[in-house]
Amino acid sequence: EKWAATLPKFPPTSLALQHFDATYSVQLGQLWPSVRIALLSERKYGALLNTFSHDAVLEDLQAKGCRDFITDTDTEALPCLDPESVVGVEGESNDVPVKKSNADRHLKISPKIKCLVFPRGDITRFKPARPDTQRLLGYYLLDAASVLPCLALDIQEGHIVLDLCAAPGGKAVALLQTQAIGFLCLNDTSVSRTLRLKKVLHSYIPKELLTSKNLRITSSDGTKWGEIENNTFDRVLVDVPCTTDRHSVMEDDNNIFSKNRIGERRRLPQLQLELLLAGIEAACPGGEIMYSTCTLSHIQNQSVVEQAIHLAQENHGIILEVVDLRPLTHMFRKTFHFAPNLHLGEMVIPHLGANFGPIYMCKLRRLT
Amino acid sequence: SLQSAGHISKVSHGSNKPVTELSLRTLVDMGFTEPQAEQLHEAVSTVRGASATKHALSTLTALFVLGYNTSSVQKLLLKCPELCTVKEPQLQQRISNLRKLGFVEGSLQRVVAHYPQILTVPVKKVNYVVLFLRERCLFTTMQITDILRDNPAIILEDLGQVEYKFQYVFFRMGIKQREMIKSRLFRFSLDEVRSRHCFLERRGLYQTPDKKGQTTTVNPKLDSILNVNQDTFLTAVAMASAEEYEIFQRLMAREWQEQEKEYDSIEAD
Ligand SMILES: C[S@@+](CC[C@H](N)C(=O)[O-])C[C@H]1O[C@@H](n2cnc3c(N)ncnc32)[C@H](O)[C@@H]1O
């Protein structure tokens, strides 16, 4: 076997890595090598427990050494937070001061969402979930960090909720675990992925809860949502398409860094911005919007949020505040590595000790 | 050395029959202390086989002729009691073959003391390894002597594994023969080499050179990757924590195991 001969010249995975080396070494500095090796090594999963399943899955997984990261938290008090409630946002849109909410010291976390993980440094894998007698699967395997945006969205009894980019449905399954949602709209522009979303729902959620009284599934272009249904939702999840960093450095198939997708990749930040703006418009005044991605990219994360805050005010007269998520990151710092000192939002960065993420999240609240 | 050989020929007790049997007495007569002799006798007797120790005396003689003193001979035989089963002509042949391969006085003694097993290996096998290193890995004669001196155990290693390790370092790491010799590559197992290299590579600190031998960043020298303890490797070269490396090694072990299984199943198809 010859090593040199087998590699194609520029596979998308190496283009992605080159791109990340150039941008993230600047963005993350000293942290980049540790993040890089974690991205390139086997990731860890979390088992999102399906409370609708009848099997004793929790006990079973606990016996294998897993723990629910949501209850197994850091109880130590949060050291004094930055008392300033208004911080200027750096970047082009410096004219908009971003108001950071200060009233969220106490986190309300749904007691029904449970996500099991193997302890730090333990590389044991989960077995695929098995169906119970009702054909419902016991758990959904996902990046444990992707449960955080769902937790932080803080669903409360009777809430009307929109998941604008919902397929294949991991976060939707997490949201439904709260058993508190009044009505849930799930949308994804891709028809084939919407089909997968439906399959997932049927494997996890009892039929009684999947009726038109509780749920609507659509395949619209999310960027147009604001034109149809404005000022409606208590909670909106905007989990946008992004460069999916982990996938991009590991799999050549369906890779956004392949040569013929350059245009699509360049348009991502604009698409993300439009989706977030649509989500903001869809929320009701007082409602909350969670923007999330699985990339480390500043341009797809903070910059998009910054511009959305700016444009929401300019074009729609909507005033937003950024909700401080530090109580959340503090609570879960035993399980995840969070990027230090982000000026907007929070980000789980991969690390071999806890190889979850990347997950970026930023929560906004509509004041008007 | 002739003196000690002569000394042995005189050893015969009571009867005039030449001694072929290795007894405690014989050993003491040769100059070993009693505890040395006991230890040695016990070690040699554990070697299995009917004629196991038939050649013990000629082996001892040959070793004394090479210039070792009793305590070196003792150490050497404790390391490799099987040496006592080698017939004298073969032993002589093997020693002179090593001389032909470039082991001059001094270095010959050192390699045998360090790895006495080398004298249990047939000349044909040794020369096959030499040929392999010359033709498959393009090492020069002098480099091959260096390899045998630094890691004589290569003689008994699986050559498929040796070739894999060579190709890995040559193609994946882009390292030439000269640097391999300088860093004593063959002393390290494939897993050690691969672990450290992959760790650096995934951290972005090592690149496979392109066809022109170029990289965008400067790779650390193979010597500074291999010939340092783990702490130094982590702090000075990889700039990583011990936790990361420990977890990484477990992940890699599983990755490689699964790759091998995959190859095996492909071959079986
Ligand atoms: C990161 S994935 C969502 C993952 C999902 N929230 C989950 O947890 O399983 C992004 C999704 O956005 C969808 N998408 C892309 N463009 C869209 C658009 N214009 N409107 C709505 N959805 C879109 C993609 O089809 C993709 O399924």
Side-chain angles (χ1 to χ4, degrees), chain B residues 35-209:
Chain B
Q36 275 181 338
E38 266 168 40
Q39 229 185 348
L40 201 53
H41 189 262
E42 197 189 312
V44 172
S45 331
T46 58
V47 179
R48 288 167 48 83
S51 59
T53 58
K54 226 163 82 188
H55 308 285
L57 285 183
S58 60
T59 297
L60 282 167
T61 312
L63 291 175
F64 283 123
V65 170
L66 274 180
Y68 295 110
N69 58 25
T70 46
S71 89
S72 314
V73 168
Q74 196 226 8
K75 270 193 216 137
L76 208 145
L77 285 179
L78 288 183
K79 254 196 214 172
C80 180
E82 293 78 11
L83 220 51
C84 292
T85 65
V86 182
K87 290 190 192 118
E88 191 184 3
Q90 271 156 1
L91 201 64
Q92 293 306 343
Q93 222 186 357
R94 289 169 194 178
I95 290 171
S96 73
N97 189 50
L98 286 177
R99 290 205 165 98
K100 263 189 252 155
L101 291 175
F103 285 94
V104 290
E105 256 9 80
S107 79
L108 176 68
Q109 280 77 356
R110 271 193 299 276
V111 78
V112 172
H114 172 63
Y115 190 72
Q117 290 86 337
I118 200 165
L119 292 181
T120 65
V121 183
V123 167
K124 242 172 120 177
K125 165 89 177 141
V126 173
N127 289 348
Y128 181 74
V129 174
V130 168
L131 192 71
F132 164 87
L133 289 170
R134 180 156 35 233
E135 302 208 325
R136 301 298 295 253
C137 311
L138 304 179
F139 286 110
T140 67
T141 305
M142 256 162 76
Q143 288 172 334
I144 293 170
T145 313
D146 287 343
I147 292 173
L148 294 178
R149 190 194 53 220
D150 288 333
N151 180 38
I154 198 171
I155 296 292
L156 290 175
E157 279 173 28
D158 173 358
L159 289 187
Q161 286 289 310
V162 173
E163 184 168 23
Y164 189 89
K165 180 158 66 187
F166 170 79
Q167 293 199 344
Y168 183 90
V169 174
F170 190 81
F171 290 111
R172 277 279 272 120
M173 301 183 71
I175 286 179
K176 298 278 171 284
Q177 284 84 347
R178 233 182 50 191
E179 214 187 320
M180 295 187 201
I181 301 295
K182 236 181 87 190
S183 61
R184 303 185 170 147
L185 166 70
F186 291 103
R187 280 192 183 186
F188 301 92
S189 72
L190 174 65
D191 276 356
E192 285 173 290
V193 176
R194 247 188 337 188
S195 285
R196 289 193 177 187
H197 165 250
C198 285
F199 192 66
L200 293 175
E201 181 175 60
R202 290 195 188 178
R203 291 183 72 81
L205 301 174
Y206 201 103
Q207 278 175 12
T208 304

Side-chain angles (χ1 to χ4, degrees), chain A residues 215-248:
Chain A
L215 184 82
R216 190 175 79 208
I217 300 176
T218 50
S219 305
S220 315
D221 176 355
T223 61
K224 306 271 158 56
W225 197 277
E227 295 170 11
I228 334 162
E229 208 165 17
N230 277 341
N231 307 329
T232 307
F233 296 91
D234 301 296
R235 296 290 185 263
V236 180
L237 178 60
V238 186
D239 187 33
V240 295
C242 66
T243 45
T244 54
D245 295 358
R246 207 182 263 281
H247 179 87
S248 292

Side-chain angles (χ1 to χ4, degrees), chain A residues 192-229:
Chain A
S192 61
R193 287 173 68 92
T194 312
L195 285 175
R196 254 182 80 197
L197 168 69
K198 286 182 183 160
K199 265 204 193 132
V200 165
L201 289 181
H202 284 285
S203 317
Y204 286 90
I205 314 295
K207 279 198 202 69
E208 316 83 85
L209 300 177
L210 298 177
T211 66
S212 56
K213 274 204 322 231
N214 322 301
L215 184 82
R216 190 175 79 208
I217 300 176
T218 50
S219 305
S220 315
D221 176 355
T223 61
K224 306 271 158 56
W225 197 277
E227 295 170 11
I228 334 162
E229 208 165 17

